[in-house]
Amino acid sequence: MKVLFIGGTGTISTAIVKRLIEEMKWEVWLINRGNRPEAIPEGAHLIKADINDEAAIAEKIKDHKFDVVSDFIAFTVDAVERDYRLFKGKTSQYMFISSASAYHKPAASYIITEGTTLSNPHWEYSRNKIKCEEFLMDKYRTEGFPVTIVRPSHTYDERNVPLGVHGKNGFWQVIKRIMDEKPVIIQGDGTSLWTVTWNADFAVGYTGLMGNPHAIGEAFNITSDETLTWNQIYQTIANVLGKELKAYHVATDFLIACGDKLGFDFEGSLEGDKSVSVVFDNSKLKKIVPDMKTRVPFDRGVRIALDHVLSHPECQVEDPEFDQWCDKVIDVLEKAKF
């Protein structure tokens, strides 16, 4: 099998590419600007180019046909329209990475299936993913364009620690607050349900859809089967660090209002996603990919991630602005008590 990834070096795609090359022995090609050559997996063929330069890409792939094309960096309709023009007639399957945040917030049921309504008034990112899906499914229905849609939720790897509330520089400042035994903000009362998925587990489900005729014209959730509360997520992190968790629960609408001062879109990431309880039904995926299962539960995955982050200083990106913001939010709420 000959496959092409647009991107291919992100959290999700890295695990998929590694599995295809090392375990499945597929021929893997990447369209990538090559700015991070160390991230290009050994054994992958690189087409060094900017995917947004459509004419240049068309020239570079003119002599190629692919069994599967996967785009991990398409976020707008313009991007999937470009892919449609480039790969129509050049692939037997086009796989689009959508997002589970596209599901209605809140949905009528906390159990999310592929039939759950797509609608998210809180997050433009999610609305754009919905528009991408609509365009691609229209091309499938009217022209037979061989699309498969995948909806991941919160996927992580050894370079990332999944959190609910963090600043622009990512997770590290929260980890540092836990290590320093400072109060850590958790949205709401911390009891909403959430799912985090180790990227290598995700890769099993994803590669099982590649080249699978039963996947054409269909959408699939790919997530872990493990459901946790946010309190459990943060407590597990603290346990691995050997620190006491000083959880400070803050109402989501208050965080959204205060997030404006930080220049951070908490409405999208919280009300449009992480503050809403969700449990994903993966039975549709498992019917055609029976190997899909949770091999790395969160208590193991986060230990791997923290071991990596603590031994790699380049992962420890501090965020003093977010740290001060946390202190101010907590101080204001403490002063409001009587």
Side-chain angles (χ1 to χ4, degrees):
M1 295 283 281
K2 181 180 179 180
V3 300
L4 173 69
F5 289 85
I6 302 168
T9 58
T11 297
I12 295 177
S13 56
T14 297
I16 297 168
V17 169
K18 181 179 180 181
R19 176 174 169 81
L20 289 174
I21 293 174
E22 296 182 2
E23 298 181 38
M24 302 175 71
K25 310 303 181 185
W26 286 17
E27 181 181 343
V28 176
W29 291 73
L30 308 181
I31 292 179
N32 194 289
R33 287 176 294 181
N35 293 337
R36 295 171 54 233
E38 75 283 356
I40 304 297
E42 185 177 351
H45 304 274
L46 177 63
I47 300 174
K48 189 173 181 180
D50 185 341
I51 187 60
N52 296 305
D53 188 345
E54 186 173 340
I57 296 294
E59 177 63 24
K60 288 177 180 290
I61 66 171
K62 66 180 181 180
D63 296 325
H64 290 276
K65 290 196 75 171
F66 302 95
D67 294 294
V68 184
V69 172
S70 296
D71 194 335
F72 288 85
I73 55 174
F75 302 104
T76 64
V77 173
D78 288 347
V80 293
E81 288 176 345
R82 173 208 63 218
D83 286 357
Y84 166 75
R85 291 190 297 269
L86 284 169
F87 299 110
K88 180 183 179 182
K90 289 187 118 0
T91 185
S92 300
Q93 183 182 30
Y94 173 86
M95 299 184 70
F96 172 65
I97 310 302
S98 185
S99 170
S101 69
Y103 290 119
H104 194 280
K105 298 296 182 297
S109 170
Y110 72 96
I111 299 175
I112 304 299
T113 73
E114 290 82 358
T116 300
T117 301
L118 302 181
S119 174
N120 192 331
H122 304 291
W123 206 358
E124 185 179 11
Y125 164 81
S126 306
R127 294 193 296 273
N128 283 333
K129 288 289 190 179
I130 294 170
K131 291 176 183 177
C132 291
E133 288 197 28
E134 290 172 342
F135 170 83
L136 291 167
M137 289 306 296
D138 177 69
K139 291 302 180 185
Y140 166 70
R141 295 186 185 105
T142 60
E143 301 179 19
F145 186 64
V147 63
T148 297
I149 292 168
V150 173
R151 299 179 186 137
S153 185
H154 201 156
T155 308
Y156 71 109
D157 65 3
E158 72 277 3
R159 299 168 295 178
N160 299 279
V161 177
L163 297 167
V165 181
H166 59 78
K168 295 178 182 178
N169 291 347
F171 66 88
W172 172 250
Q173 199 65 44
V174 178
I175 301 304
K176 191 171 186 298
R177 288 181 73 89
I178 294 174
M179 293 171 65
D180 293 341
E181 297 190 343
K182 296 178 68 175
V184 173
I185 292 175
I186 301 175
Q187 72 274 15
D189 63 2
T191 61
S192 60
L193 302 175
W194 195 243
T195 299
V196 292
T197 307
W198 184 250
N199 69 338
D201 285 348
F202 182 96
V204 173
Y206 191 91
T207 55
L209 295 175
M210 298 180 75
N212 191 323
H214 299 292
I216 304 300
E218 299 288 344
F220 297 89
N221 296 331
I222 304 182
T223 72
S224 167
D225 291 322
E226 181 182 30
T227 301
L228 301 163
T229 68
W230 280 104
N231 286 335
Q232 289 174 319
I233 289 172
Y234 279 81
Q235 186 62 62
T236 301
I237 294 169
N239 290 346
V240 172
L241 292 170
K243 296 292 183 178
E244 177 187 357
L245 175 65
K246 295 184 177 179
Y248 200 94
H249 297 101
V250 181
T252 294
D253 54 358
F254 190 81
L255 288 171
I256 292 170
C258 295
D260 290 341
K261 305 296 183 183
L262 192 63
F264 201 87
D265 179 20
F266 283 125
E267 180 181 357
S269 65
L270 294 182
E271 193 169 0
D273 199 24
K274 298 180 181 68
S275 289
V276 182
S277 283
V278 287
V279 175
F280 293 98
D281 182 345
N282 290 296
S283 57
K284 180 179 178 180
L285 172 71
K286 290 179 179 180
K287 284 180 180 178
I288 65 172
V289 188
D291 288 341
M292 180 62 190
K293 67 174 93 173
T294 301
R295 292 173 171 81
V296 183
F298 183 64
D299 65 312
R300 180 181 166 201
V302 78
R303 186 176 297 277
I304 296 169
L306 286 169
D307 285 347
H308 180 88
V309 168
L310 292 173
S311 62
H312 289 76
E314 68 274 12
C315 296
Q316 302 168 19
V317 183
E318 297 203 12
D319 193 341
E321 182 183 17
F322 174 73
D323 198 47
Q324 293 167 13
W325 178 86
C326 290
D327 291 338
K328 186 171 183 179
V329 168
I330 293 168
D331 182 60
V332 166
L333 289 173
E334 286 297 302
K335 288 178 178 177
K337 292 179 178 179
F338 61 92

